[in-house]
Amino acid sequence: MSDIRHTEPGFALGAVHEVRATFGTPEAMQDAITQLEMSGFDRADLSLPEAMPPAERATPEAGAKPADTEEDARQSRTLHTSGAAAVAAMAVGGAVIATGGAAAPALAAAVIGGGVAGAAVHAINSAANSDEQADRELKAATGTLILSVRAPTEAKRREAEAILGSAGATSVEAR
């Protein structure tokens, strides 16, 4: 067993502030996210908490989703579609090499298959993004579209409040 002793106190983290804002539209929330990121707030400090989560999800970690943007969803779709097509192409290339070119007719079929696989992945990701957008629209309509911002200092808390207010939040609350 190790006998490690710390003679000097560690770095004091201090209080972490949370600012919550309610938005009437997903577009206003997207604008707030963009402004916060441009002002130096880390994406990891932004989340979409549930207004009244069930008891089993009533913790900050379990009751919130990441504050992803439409650009994030588009990049995810592109990544998954490209990845599926690349895997299919590499498999075909390996088959052609392994057979010494005798599998060239299969190449055409596999290229088509890779396109189909990529399209399927794209469709699945698009459907998931549509569901997320519909959820945000519903929350906005019911007044429960909330963006939470963690701020490490009092100055960053004030800055977050100002940005959220200027982006069109219907209410801003610091905790």
Side-chain angles (χ1 to χ4, degrees):
M1 188 149 105
S2 175
D3 186 24
I4 299 174
R5 296 173 196 253
H6 297 281
T7 57
E8 297 179 18
F11 177 72
L13 293 176
V16 175
H17 307 275
E18 179 185 22
V19 181
R20 286 189 174 200
T22 304
F23 289 92
T25 66
E27 294 78 20
M29 185 190 68
Q30 286 299 136
D31 184 42
I33 292 170
T34 300
Q35 289 182 39
L36 288 163
E37 289 178 333
M38 289 176 33
S39 293
F41 285 87
D42 191 334
R43 176 73 62 92
D45 291 331
L46 308 178
S47 64
L48 302 174
E50 288 186 58
M52 291 183 283
E56 65 271 6
R57 290 190 321 226
T59 65
E61 295 82 17
K65 296 179 183 176
D68 292 333
T69 63
E70 173 57 32
E71 182 177 314
D72 295 328
R74 186 173 47 253
Q75 289 176 350
S76 176
R77 287 191 303 270
T78 301
L79 173 68
H80 288 105
T81 303
S82 300
V87 167
M90 286 186 279
V92 169
V96 169
I97 291 169
T99 62
L107 172 63
V111 168
I112 293 169
V116 170
V121 168
H122 178 76
I124 290 168
N125 283 329
S126 293
N129 186 46
S130 294
D131 289 346
E132 181 68 26
Q133 189 60 31
D135 181 56
R136 288 182 183 182
E137 291 284 347
L138 176 64
K139 286 181 177 180
T142 59
T144 59
L145 181 59
I146 301 168
L147 176 63
S148 174
V149 181
R150 284 189 309 249
T153 66
E154 184 68 25
K156 289 301 267 186
R157 181 195 58 79
R158 286 192 303 273
E159 182 180 3
E161 288 176 335
I163 290 170
L164 293 168
S166 72
T170 57
S171 70
V172 178
E173 174 189 338
R175 294 179 176 208

